Structures are given as C-alpha cells and as structure tokens.
Amino acid sequence: MNTPKILAPKRLFAATAAALLIPLAACGSSDDSSSGGSGGSDDQTLTVFAAASLTSTFTEIAKDFEAAHDGVNVKLSFGGSSDLVSQIQSGAPADVFASADTANMDKLGKDAEDPKDFATNVLEIATPPGNPAKITGFQDLGKSGVKVVVCAPEVPCGAAAQQMEQKTGVTIKPVSEEQSVTDVLGKVTSGEADAGLVYVTDVTAAGKQVTGVPFPESSKVVNTYPIAPVADSDHSDLAQEFVDYVLSSDGQKVLADAGFGKP
Amino acid sequence: MPVSASRDTGGPGFPRWLWLPAAVGGAFVLLPLVAMVVRIDWGDFPDLITAPESVEALLLSLRTAAASMVLCVVLGVPMAIVLARTEFRGQSVVRSLVLLPLVLPPVVSGMALLYTFGRRGLLGHTLDVLGIEVAFTTAAVVMAQTFVALPFLVISLEGALRTAGRRYDVVAATLGARPTTVFRRVTLPLVLPGLLSGAVLAFARCLGEFGATITFAGSLEGVTRTMPIQIYLFNASSHPDSAVAVSIVLVVVAVLVIGVARQSRSAV
C-alpha cells in the first residue's frame, strides 16, 4: 500500500508540470519556427500592429499582400494606438506599426524606422439611423439636451474632438467619454446617444447602422496616419515591403475606398 | 456557503500531495499581484492616487457599490427565501435563470440592460413617458452593478438558509409567532453570517464591475466613470503608472472590505 502512495505525488507533479509546460512550449516553438523560417524556407509570418480604425482596410491589404508574396503569412493585431505602443515597448513581436496619429508614432521613438504618412482622416458626426435628433452641423453638438458621446481626450479621437471644439468655439458637454471609436459607435447605434463624434471612415464602415453628418469645419483638424517597420524586427526586409505596399497605388486605393484621405 | 469556520480540526486530514497543486494555485493568484506592486513607482504613487480623476473614480465606485449592495440585500433576501423555502415546478429553471448573470459575460449583461431600460429598449418608451432617463446616469451604474452582483447574494443566502433548516422557524411558529416575527427574530439572525458574506461578495463584485457598466452607463468623470473604467482608460491612454497605482488602491479597498467582513462574521 505504501508504494503507490509515494508514486502518486510524483505522477501528479509530472502531470501538473506537463500541463503547465506544454502550452508554454507550444508558444515557444511557434516563435522559433517563424524566426527560423526567414533563413531560407518559404514560410514567414509578418506581424502587423495597426490602429483599430484600420481594421477593415488592413485586413484587405494584408490579404492582397499575402497573395502577392508566396509563403508569407500576415498576422494582424488591432487596438488603440497607444495600447499598441505600450505593447511594442514591452516587447510584443511586432514587425510593422501603423498608428492612428503621429503622437503615438513619436512615442515609439527609435523603435520605429523612418515612419511615413500613408493616410489622413477627418471627423464626422455619426447619428442613429435617420438622425432622430436632427443634427445638421457641429454647432448642434453644443446645444443643451443633445446627447453627445465623444472619445476621452486621452485617446487620439478624443484629442481630435477637443481640438475641433477649440477651433470652432463650440463647447460640447458629452454624456459620455468613451475609450475608443467603436465604443462611441456602440452608443450611437443602440440609439442611446443622439450623436457621436467619430472619423469619416468609421461612419463609412458602420454602413446603414448610422447616419453620417459631415461638417465643413472637419478639414480644420486632420489626423495623419504614419506607418513604419519596427526596429529589431526579424523580418525587416519583408516589413519594409509591407510598408511600401501600403504606400503603393494598390494599398492607397483600398484606403481611399474606405474614406481615408491622401497623406 | 460555509457557516462553520473552515479550519482543519485534526480530523482524518487530507492527502499531503494536495499541497503541491495548492501551492501552484496560490502562486498563480499571488504572483500577478506581486508583479503589480513591483511595478509601482513609489515616488509618484501619492501624486498618482490623489490625482482628481483617481479620487473622483474611487468615491464614485464606493458610492455606487454601497448603493448596489443595499439594493442587492433588499431584492436578494426575499429572492433567496422564496427559493430556499418553497418547492414548485420549474424551480430549478427559475434558480438557473436568476443566477445567470454569474456566468454571463458582463458586456452581455450591459447589452441586456440596454435593450430593457435603454431609450429604444423594452421599457424605454414607458420610462420616457414618466420622464425617467437612465442611460449615462449614475443610476445606470448602480443598476448594472446590482444586476451582476445580485446572484452572489442570492446564492450565498439560499445556501445559508438551506443549511440552517426550518426547525427553529417551526418551533417559533408553534409558539405563536407570526411569519413576519419568525422571519425577523429567528430566520434572519440565524443566517446573518451568510447574509453578511453574500453582501460583501456583492459589494466586491460591484467594485470590480466594468463590462456591464461601460456598455450600459458609459464613461464620464464623476458620473459614470468608476475605478475599473478609469483604470482601463489610464492604461489605454499610455498612463500605465496611473493605472497600476489606482489598481493597487482598488486591491487594498477590496482586501479591507473582505477583512472587515471576516472580522465581523467571526464576531457574530
């Protein structure tokens, strides 16, 4: 009876250790294969970190890029630009970074190699379908009783909204300051808010779920999107190729179709 | 919920090898906390946690969590009693439904609340006629917190009620006490520890509420931006130092609450 009792903890230890280590090992090996792949075999994985507002366009661009490059697999990670910057700075394996504003690209400093502007974006008002509160221009957002949702000033779309307020002299008293454009859209599509301040491209992407109200003052605050290969990338050549592809006429067409302006 | 203290009383004991996975589990829970504490820049810490937005978020969180806890008690105690003291067809289904918010992703809870109390929700028109607007108000925060925390109280109390049994209730009743008197003087005191731990669990859950709140109530300083939302915003806007500092405050508050509850429970 004594022997199995002694064995049991060992077996359990082995099982526990295995359970803990197997997933780690799996993670490790996938990294190895991707970095080893650049040596000569065909399979290469390019990891692109891009601002959330680029979700649909970069998904399309990545597909085109993969089609044009045999054995290349583009992995996309979308998020708030500042989130992505802190991830890269804490060592996330990004090869390319596309930011929604120059401020966040600047924050990356030397980790970004020669950033290039590839698109611009301006603000637009999004209202629930049919624009029930009858918003006609930016001035209407300052009216009392109009429920306006904006991004928090700490995030790029909120900073742009704040600049717009300064340039137009309109003071918005928002009912909510959300963390991202998608959160703002959520409040608008659900009909809780009368209006939300987002980018033109977000209104285009939201389709029938919102009614867009463009306003002439929007050209006063233009958001520039820079892109750059990340320094120390294992695939620096491929990263540069991807950046070039985004800047090429093919890449630019995808962006223009989504409502982005020229850099 | 355990009514008796869970101290090892020298009974048959447990297999000693259980120490190993227990230690691994403990390390898994504690290490991230340690990692957070290590990240703190103690020089800036006082400034970070006394920043107006941090203080505002803490006060809002405490206020709303307290209000939600009271609501949970007011609504949850009767629910637990009905569930524990009755037998009816489909009771297990009802119980599962009541406990549903425990397993629902909070964002889903927030959406469900939106579809109920939102402007275009089920009751939206009625509320509109009554001149009540819920969305983007502190009331919406309390509703979201109550929705997700209520099952914690119900499940704790129902367990306590079932463990306590009905013997004392029956005796009191045969001695002539009316149902309300029995409830007040016998049932409630008997399950007080269970009620207390349920209320504390609910309070703690409210403090941590994020998904339902941001979906249903939004995020505005001093109105709807509770601590978890402020932490998320700090983190998302590259102020990780502020995020960590405020997180530590939240952890300390949670530990204090649990500690106080344990203290008063052992006193009961």
Side-chain angles (χ1 to χ4, degrees):
Chain A
M1 270 316 281
N2 221 3
T3 327
K5 253 188 195 167
I6 294 168
L7 272 179
K10 280 188 187 158
R11 232 181 280 146
L12 187 102
F13 176 77
T16 314
L20 286 171
L21 291 177
I22 284 169
L24 295 178
C27 294
S29 69
S30 75
D31 275 358
D32 291 346
S33 70
S34 64
S35 56
S38 60
S41 85
D42 282 328
D43 278 5
Q44 289 194 69
T45 300
L46 188 73
T47 307
V48 176
F49 277 29
S53 46
L54 296 167
T55 304
S56 60
T57 47
F58 266 49
T59 306
E60 198 180 332
I61 288 176
K63 253 189 220 146
D64 296 346
F65 186 77
E66 282 174 351
H69 293 75
D70 257 355
V72 171
N73 178 24
V74 179
K75 223 169 69 187
L76 294 160
S77 176
F78 297 106
S81 299
S82 40
D83 260 346
L84 296 176
V85 169
S86 42
Q87 285 173 23
I88 294 172
Q89 282 170 340
S90 6
D95 298 311
V96 175
F97 174 52
S99 170
D101 63 353
T102 40
N104 277 299
M105 184 60 87
D106 292 347
K107 245 187 268 167
L108 208 50
K110 273 189 243 158
D111 287 339
E113 283 179 343
D114 185 24
K116 292 246 164 52
D117 297 340
F118 69 96
T120 56
N121 214 349
V122 292
L123 293 173
E124 184 168 329
I125 299 166
T127 70
N131 190 1
K134 304 203 166 41
I135 308 288
T136 55
F138 194 76
Q139 286 74 20
D140 289 352
L141 302 187
K143 287 183 183 163
S144 62
V146 177
K147 292 194 167 170
V148 184
V149 177
V150 297
C151 288
E154 291 90 338
V155 291
C157 56
Q162 222 173 28
Q163 278 180 40
M164 189 59 76
E165 284 183 72
Q166 284 161 8
K167 299 235 162 137
T168 54
V170 176
T171 308
I172 301 175
K173 287 214 176 71
V175 289
S176 184
E177 295 174 346
E178 305 283 333
Q179 354 269 321
S180 76
V181 166
T182 37
D183 292 326
V184 173
L185 281 176
K187 296 292 188 290
V188 173
T189 50
S190 68
E192 287 312 306
D194 295 320
L197 207 49
V198 294
Y199 290 114
V200 172
T201 51
D202 302 313
V203 175
T204 313
K208 280 189 207 148
Q209 288 181 296
V210 299
T211 300
V213 181
F215 52 97
E217 301 92 326
S218 68
S219 60
K220 288 182 180 169
V221 178
V222 177
N223 215 34
T224 306
Y225 285 59
I227 187 169
V230 176
D232 303 331
S233 153
D234 289 336
H235 317 281
S236 45
D237 291 346
L238 199 60
Q240 188 58 52
E241 273 181 59
F242 186 84
V243 170
D244 292 343
Y245 188 79
V246 170
L247 293 164
S248 76
S249 55
D250 289 341
Q252 290 294 305
K253 187 181 177 311
V254 174
L255 289 160
D257 288 348
F260 283 101
K262 284 207 177 345
Chain B
M1 288 293 113
V3 173
S4 63
S6 55
R7 192 165 295 128
D8 183 10
T9 44
F14 60 88
R16 286 174 68 184
W17 54 263
L18 279 179
W19 278 102
L20 180 70
V24 172
F28 182 64
V29 173
L30 288 179
L31 256 182
L33 273 179
V34 173
M36 218 158 68
V37 173
V38 168
R39 276 244 14 204
I40 296 180
D41 181 350
W42 290 103
D44 290 341
F45 187 73
D47 288 342
L48 292 178
I49 61 165
T50 52
E53 57 262 52
S54 307
V55 174
E56 192 93 58
L58 173 64
L59 292 179
L60 181 68
S61 267
L62 291 176
R63 271 202 330 261
T64 52
S68 305
M69 186 180 74
V70 171
L71 257 181
C72 283
V73 170
V74 169
L75 301 173
V77 172
M79 283 166 77
I81 289 184
V82 169
L83 282 176
R85 292 289 190 258
T86 59
E87 297 284 344
F88 56 87
R89 270 161 64 102
Q91 192 183 23
S92 60
V93 177
V94 170
R95 180 182 295 113
S96 309
L97 288 177
V98 166
L99 300 183
L100 201 58
L102 270 183
V103 290
L104 275 185
V107 179
V108 177
S109 299
M111 279 164 55
L113 286 168
L114 208 53
Y115 294 152
T116 313
F117 301 102
R119 250 190 199 178
R120 298 199 185 155
L122 220 51
L123 305 176
H125 184 69
T126 317
L127 292 173
D128 200 31
V129 170
L130 296 171
I132 301 171
E133 292 210 32
V134 183
F136 306 121
T137 62
T138 308
V141 177
V142 173
M143 285 168 76
Q145 290 177 347
T146 306
F147 187 80
V148 296
L150 191 55
F152 284 89
L153 188 121
V154 174
I155 204 170
S156 304
L157 189 58
E158 197 202 342
L161 280 163
R162 286 186 179 274
T163 314
R166 311 193 60 165
R167 277 182 302 151
Y168 294 104
D169 298 10
V170 172
V171 171
T174 53
L175 291 176
R178 287 201 241 158
T180 305
T181 315
V182 176
F183 171 67
R184 257 189 335 112
R185 305 289 295 272
V186 181
T187 318
L188 263 192
L190 215 52
V191 296
L192 202 56
L195 174 60
L196 207 72
S197 67
V200 168
L201 264 180
F203 184 81
R205 177 66 189 84
C206 291
L207 270 188
E209 212 320 287
F210 173 78
T213 310
I214 197 150
T215 310
F216 180 52
S219 163
L220 191 67
E221 191 180 326
V223 182
T224 51
R225 189 173 293 157
T226 53
M227 281 188 98
I229 299 178
Q230 182 66 58
I231 291 168
Y232 181 62
L233 183 62
F234 273 144
N235 200 39
S237 57
S238 20
H239 294 97
D241 296 341
S242 300
V244 174
V246 177
S247 304
I248 292 293
V249 174
L250 193 58
V251 170
V252 169
V253 170
V255 169
L256 279 181
V257 167
I258 293 169
V260 166
R262 290 208 151 250
Q263 214 52 42
S264 52
R265 232 181 75 179
S266 43
V268 165

